[in-house]
Amino acid sequence: NQIRMADFRRTDLSSLPLQVTLYFNSLYLIVSFLGELAILIYKATLLSNPSRNLWPEVVLLFLLMGVEGTRMSLGTKGNLTQSKVPLLFSIVFSFPSIAGYLYFMLWQTFVLRLEVIITSISLLGIFPHILFGFIALWMFHRYDTQYA
């Protein structure tokens, strides 16, 4: 029963900055979802927002939160298990999230200043995820090619 030397070289390559970014993004996701939902209710009751525009925005908000939850879950799984595929998919899911946040920030029927602030913070959380995700992917790949 010979043990390979590669088994002893296995190091923890998980990225702490990526994990911290994902953790705080997941906390802020709850805040941004509740804030945006409250703003949509405010718009429906106090502004003359046509209902034909309101329901697609509510559906888009729930879709965006689903994509964001999936993005963060895949990023966490890929980082902690040092798996390239889930981490790569979490980076890919960042781009629909960016598009959704840009919609809420720029292209809604009514855009409130509070929405611009909420979505700007959300967007600022995505970019470190992309950066640290690519760094972690590079480290996982480098380790796999060096010790495979």
Side-chain angles (χ1 to χ4, degrees):
N1 296 16
Q2 190 176 19
I3 299 174
R4 299 181 327 172
M5 284 303 292
D7 294 338
F8 291 110
R9 290 189 190 121
R10 186 71 177 161
T11 57
D12 187 18
L13 300 174
S14 296
S15 170
L16 180 62
L18 175 61
Q19 199 59 39
V20 168
T21 300
L22 288 167
Y23 175 74
F24 284 114
N25 280 344
S26 65
L27 291 179
Y28 188 72
L29 176 65
I30 297 166
V31 172
S32 67
F33 173 72
L34 293 175
E36 190 64 43
L37 193 59
I39 290 170
L40 286 173
I41 292 169
Y42 169 78
K43 287 180 188 179
T45 56
L46 296 177
L47 297 177
S48 60
N49 195 4
S51 62
R52 70 178 192 284
N53 294 346
L54 179 67
W55 290 111
E57 290 175 358
V58 170
V59 169
L60 182 63
L61 177 65
F62 278 94
L63 287 173
L64 177 60
M65 294 305 122
V67 169
E68 279 285 276
T70 303
R71 176 182 73 86
M72 289 180 222
S73 175
L74 286 172
T76 300
K77 179 182 177 184
N79 186 36
L80 295 180
T81 62
Q82 300 175 19
S83 302
K84 292 185 274 188
V85 174
L87 189 55
L88 182 63
F89 276 113
S90 77
I91 293 171
V92 169
F93 274 114
S94 296
F95 298 103
S97 293
I98 290 170
Y101 284 124
L102 285 176
Y103 173 81
F104 281 107
M105 188 172 165
L106 303 172
W107 301 309
Q108 286 187 88
T109 307
F110 293 111
V111 179
L112 302 179
R113 184 173 294 138
L114 182 59
E115 286 179 300
V116 172
I117 294 168
I118 289 172
T119 55
S120 296
I121 295 170
S122 296
L123 285 171
L124 288 175
I126 291 176
F127 295 116
H129 167 247
I130 294 171
L131 174 68
F132 295 137
F134 275 126
I135 292 170
L137 276 174
W138 176 73
M139 291 188 59
F140 298 163
H141 177 72
R142 195 174 103 188
Y143 179 85
D144 287 346
T145 57
Q146 190 173 13
Y147 294 109

PDB file of all heavy atoms in Angstrom, residues 92-107:
ATOM      1  N   VAL A  92     -20.060  33.088 -14.418  1.00  0.00           N
ATOM      2  CA  VAL A  92     -20.941  33.277 -15.579  1.00  0.00           C
ATOM      3  C   VAL A  92     -22.286  33.857 -15.140  1.00  0.00           C
ATOM      4  O   VAL A  92     -22.830  34.747 -15.800  1.00  0.00           O
ATOM      5  CB  VAL A  92     -21.121  31.945 -16.346  1.00  0.00           C
ATOM      6  CG1 VAL A  92     -22.226  32.045 -17.377  1.00  0.00           C
ATOM      7  CG2 VAL A  92     -19.808  31.526 -17.004  1.00  0.00           C
ATOM      8  N   PHE A  93     -22.805  33.395 -13.996  1.00  0.00           N
ATOM      9  CA  PHE A  93     -24.077  33.916 -13.480  1.00  0.00           C
ATOM     10  C   PHE A  93     -23.965  35.370 -13.023  1.00  0.00           C
ATOM     11  O   PHE A  93     -24.978  36.026 -12.792  1.00  0.00           O
ATOM     12  CB  PHE A  93     -24.610  33.056 -12.330  1.00  0.00           C
ATOM     13  CG  PHE A  93     -25.422  31.883 -12.779  1.00  0.00           C
ATOM     14  CD1 PHE A  93     -24.970  30.587 -12.563  1.00  0.00           C
ATOM     15  CD2 PHE A  93     -26.631  32.058 -13.418  1.00  0.00           C
ATOM     16  CE1 PHE A  93     -25.711  29.506 -12.966  1.00  0.00           C
ATOM     17  CE2 PHE A  93     -27.390  30.980 -13.829  1.00  0.00           C
ATOM     18  CZ  PHE A  93     -26.925  29.691 -13.608  1.00  0.00           C
ATOM     19  N   SER A  94     -22.748  35.880 -12.890  1.00  0.00           N
ATOM     20  CA  SER A  94     -22.584  37.280 -12.505  1.00  0.00           C
ATOM     21  C   SER A  94     -23.106  38.229 -13.579  1.00  0.00           C
ATOM     22  O   SER A  94     -23.626  39.304 -13.265  1.00  0.00           O
ATOM     23  CB  SER A  94     -21.105  37.595 -12.254  1.00  0.00           C
ATOM     24  OG  SER A  94     -20.624  36.856 -11.169  1.00  0.00           O
ATOM     25  N   PHE A  95     -22.995  37.832 -14.834  1.00  0.00           N
ATOM     26  CA  PHE A  95     -23.373  38.735 -15.920  1.00  0.00           C
ATOM     27  C   PHE A  95     -24.887  38.935 -16.046  1.00  0.00           C
ATOM     28  O   PHE A  95     -25.328  40.071 -16.224  1.00  0.00           O
ATOM     29  CB  PHE A  95     -22.701  38.284 -17.215  1.00  0.00           C
ATOM     30  CG  PHE A  95     -21.205  38.354 -17.094  1.00  0.00           C
ATOM     31  CD1 PHE A  95     -20.449  37.213 -16.890  1.00  0.00           C
ATOM     32  CD2 PHE A  95     -20.553  39.575 -17.101  1.00  0.00           C
ATOM     33  CE1 PHE A  95     -19.077  37.277 -16.730  1.00  0.00           C
ATOM     34  CE2 PHE A  95     -19.181  39.662 -16.947  1.00  0.00           C
ATOM     35  CZ  PHE A  95     -18.444  38.508 -16.761  1.00  0.00           C
ATOM     36  N   PRO A  96     -25.730  37.880 -15.909  1.00  0.00           N
ATOM     37  CA  PRO A  96     -27.174  38.164 -15.838  1.00  0.00           C
ATOM     38  C   PRO A  96     -27.545  38.985 -14.605  1.00  0.00           C
ATOM     39  O   PRO A  96     -28.459  39.806 -14.655  1.00  0.00           O
ATOM     40  CB  PRO A  96     -27.827  36.786 -15.794  1.00  0.00           C
ATOM     41  CG  PRO A  96     -26.816  35.839 -16.296  1.00  0.00           C
ATOM     42  CD  PRO A  96     -25.478  36.444 -16.024  1.00  0.00           C
ATOM     43  N   SER A  97     -26.822  38.785 -13.514  1.00  0.00           N
ATOM     44  CA  SER A  97     -27.077  39.585 -12.312  1.00  0.00           C
ATOM     45  C   SER A  97     -26.766  41.052 -12.557  1.00  0.00           C
ATOM     46  O   SER A  97     -27.536  41.928 -12.155  1.00  0.00           O
ATOM     47  CB  SER A  97     -26.226  39.077 -11.143  1.00  0.00           C
ATOM     48  OG  SER A  97     -26.623  37.796 -10.756  1.00  0.00           O
ATOM     49  N   ILE A  98     -25.655  41.307 -13.228  1.00  0.00           N
ATOM     50  CA  ILE A  98     -25.297  42.696 -13.553  1.00  0.00           C
ATOM     51  C   ILE A  98     -26.381  43.314 -14.424  1.00  0.00           C
ATOM     52  O   ILE A  98     -26.803  44.456 -14.186  1.00  0.00           O
ATOM     53  CB  ILE A  98     -23.917  42.747 -14.240  1.00  0.00           C
ATOM     54  CG1 ILE A  98     -22.816  42.414 -13.235  1.00  0.00           C
ATOM     55  CG2 ILE A  98     -23.669  44.118 -14.859  1.00  0.00           C
ATOM     56  CD1 ILE A  98     -21.449  42.198 -13.854  1.00  0.00           C
ATOM     57  N   ALA A  99     -26.863  42.568 -15.416  1.00  0.00           N
ATOM     58  CA  ALA A  99     -27.922  43.086 -16.298  1.00  0.00           C
ATOM     59  C   ALA A  99     -29.195  43.369 -15.506  1.00  0.00           C
ATOM     60  O   ALA A  99     -29.857  44.400 -15.719  1.00  0.00           O
ATOM     61  CB  ALA A  99     -28.194  42.094 -17.426  1.00  0.00           C
ATOM     62  N   GLY A 100     -29.565  42.495 -14.584  1.00  0.00           N
ATOM     63  CA  GLY A 100     -30.762  42.714 -13.772  1.00  0.00           C
ATOM     64  C   GLY A 100     -30.637  43.935 -12.887  1.00  0.00           C
ATOM     65  O   GLY A 100     -31.569  44.744 -12.772  1.00  0.00           O
ATOM     66  N   TYR A 101     -29.487  44.087 -12.260  1.00  0.00           N
ATOM     67  CA  TYR A 101     -29.287  45.265 -11.414  1.00  0.00           C
ATOM     68  C   TYR A 101     -29.262  46.549 -12.237  1.00  0.00           C
ATOM     69  O   TYR A 101     -29.775  47.580 -11.800  1.00  0.00           O
ATOM     70  CB  TYR A 101     -28.008  45.135 -10.589  1.00  0.00           C
ATOM     71  CG  TYR A 101     -28.142  44.199  -9.416  1.00  0.00           C
ATOM     72  CD1 TYR A 101     -27.296  43.119  -9.262  1.00  0.00           C
ATOM     73  CD2 TYR A 101     -29.134  44.395  -8.468  1.00  0.00           C
ATOM     74  CE1 TYR A 101     -27.418  42.256  -8.183  1.00  0.00           C
ATOM     75  CE2 TYR A 101     -29.269  43.543  -7.386  1.00  0.00           C
ATOM     76  CZ  TYR A 101     -28.402  42.471  -7.251  1.00  0.00           C
ATOM     77  OH  TYR A 101     -28.545  41.629  -6.182  1.00  0.00           O
ATOM     78  N   LEU A 102     -28.684  46.481 -13.419  1.00  0.00           N
ATOM     79  CA  LEU A 102     -28.697  47.663 -14.282  1.00  0.00           C
ATOM     80  C   LEU A 102     -30.117  48.032 -14.699  1.00  0.00           C
ATOM     81  O   LEU A 102     -30.451  49.207 -14.814  1.00  0.00           O
ATOM     82  CB  LEU A 102     -27.815  47.447 -15.509  1.00  0.00           C
ATOM     83  CG  LEU A 102     -26.316  47.529 -15.262  1.00  0.00           C
ATOM     84  CD1 LEU A 102     -25.554  47.198 -16.538  1.00  0.00           C
ATOM     85  CD2 LEU A 102     -25.912  48.883 -14.725  1.00  0.00           C
ATOM     86  N   TYR A 103     -30.964  47.017 -14.914  1.00  0.00           N
ATOM     87  CA  TYR A 103     -32.366  47.318 -15.229  1.00  0.00           C
ATOM     88  C   TYR A 103     -33.009  48.085 -14.079  1.00  0.00           C
ATOM     89  O   TYR A 103     -33.670  49.105 -14.298  1.00  0.00           O
ATOM     90  CB  TYR A 103     -33.152  46.030 -15.508  1.00  0.00           C
ATOM     91  CG  TYR A 103     -34.621  46.312 -15.676  1.00  0.00           C
ATOM     92  CD1 TYR A 103     -35.115  46.783 -16.881  1.00  0.00           C
ATOM     93  CD2 TYR A 103     -35.502  46.172 -14.612  1.00  0.00           C
ATOM     94  CE1 TYR A 103     -36.463  47.088 -17.031  1.00  0.00           C
ATOM     95  CE2 TYR A 103     -36.840  46.468 -14.750  1.00  0.00           C
ATOM     96  CZ  TYR A 103     -37.320  46.936 -15.961  1.00  0.00           C
ATOM     97  OH  TYR A 103     -38.635  47.237 -16.104  1.00  0.00           O
ATOM     98  N   PHE A 104     -32.834  47.577 -12.864  1.00  0.00           N
ATOM     99  CA  PHE A 104     -33.444  48.253 -11.712  1.00  0.00           C
ATOM    100  C   PHE A 104     -32.822  49.618 -11.444  1.00  0.00           C
ATOM    101  O   PHE A 104     -33.453  50.481 -10.857  1.00  0.00           O
ATOM    102  CB  PHE A 104     -33.359  47.378 -10.460  1.00  0.00           C
ATOM    103  CG  PHE A 104     -34.400  46.300 -10.427  1.00  0.00           C
ATOM    104  CD1 PHE A 104     -34.059  44.983 -10.647  1.00  0.00           C
ATOM    105  CD2 PHE A 104     -35.722  46.615 -10.206  1.00  0.00           C
ATOM    106  CE1 PHE A 104     -35.013  43.993 -10.630  1.00  0.00           C
ATOM    107  CE2 PHE A 104     -36.700  45.632 -10.193  1.00  0.00           C
ATOM    108  CZ  PHE A 104     -36.342  44.316 -10.409  1.00  0.00           C
ATOM    109  N   MET A 105     -31.614  49.815 -11.907  1.00  0.00           N
ATOM    110  CA  MET A 105     -30.929  51.076 -11.665  1.00  0.00           C
ATOM    111  C   MET A 105     -31.221  52.119 -12.744  1.00  0.00           C
ATOM    112  O   MET A 105     -31.270  53.313 -12.456  1.00  0.00           O
ATOM    113  CB  MET A 105     -29.428  50.804 -11.607  1.00  0.00           C
ATOM    114  CG  MET A 105     -28.570  51.928 -11.200  1.00  0.00           C
ATOM    115  SD  MET A 105     -26.918  51.223 -10.990  1.00  0.00           S
ATOM    116  CE  MET A 105     -25.948  52.662 -10.958  1.00  0.00           C
ATOM    117  N   LEU A 106     -31.435  51.667 -13.972  1.00  0.00           N
ATOM    118  CA  LEU A 106     -31.512  52.610 -15.088  1.00  0.00           C
ATOM    119  C   LEU A 106     -32.807  52.569 -15.900  1.00  0.00           C
ATOM    120  O   LEU A 106     -33.235  53.597 -16.407  1.00  0.00           O
ATOM    121  CB  LEU A 106     -30.340  52.361 -16.054  1.00  0.00           C
ATOM    122  CG  LEU A 106     -28.938  52.442 -15.482  1.00  0.00           C
ATOM    123  CD1 LEU A 106     -27.920  51.975 -16.511  1.00  0.00           C
ATOM    124  CD2 LEU A 106     -28.636  53.852 -15.028  1.00  0.00           C
ATOM    125  N   TRP A 107     -33.403  51.402 -16.092  1.00  0.00           N
ATOM    126  CA  TRP A 107     -34.419  51.264 -17.129  1.00  0.00           C
ATOM    127  C   TRP A 107     -35.835  50.980 -16.637  1.00  0.00           C
ATOM    128  O   TRP A 107     -36.708  50.675 -17.443  1.00  0.00           O
ATOM    129  CB  TRP A 107     -33.994  50.161 -18.104  1.00  0.00           C
ATOM    130  CG  TRP A 107     -32.674  50.448 -18.742  1.00  0.00           C
ATOM    131  CD1 TRP A 107     -32.308  51.595 -19.376  1.00  0.00           C
ATOM    132  CD2 TRP A 107     -31.541  49.589 -18.778  1.00  0.00           C
ATOM    133  NE1 TRP A 107     -31.020  51.494 -19.815  1.00  0.00           N
ATOM    134  CE2 TRP A 107     -30.514  50.268 -19.468  1.00  0.00           C
ATOM    135  CE3 TRP A 107     -31.276  48.299 -18.320  1.00  0.00           C
ATOM    136  CZ2 TRP A 107     -29.266  49.723 -19.697  1.00  0.00           C
ATOM    137  CZ3 TRP A 107     -30.030  47.751 -18.541  1.00  0.00           C
ATOM    138  CH2 TRP A 107     -29.058  48.461 -19.224  1.00  0.00           C
TER     139      TRP A 107
END
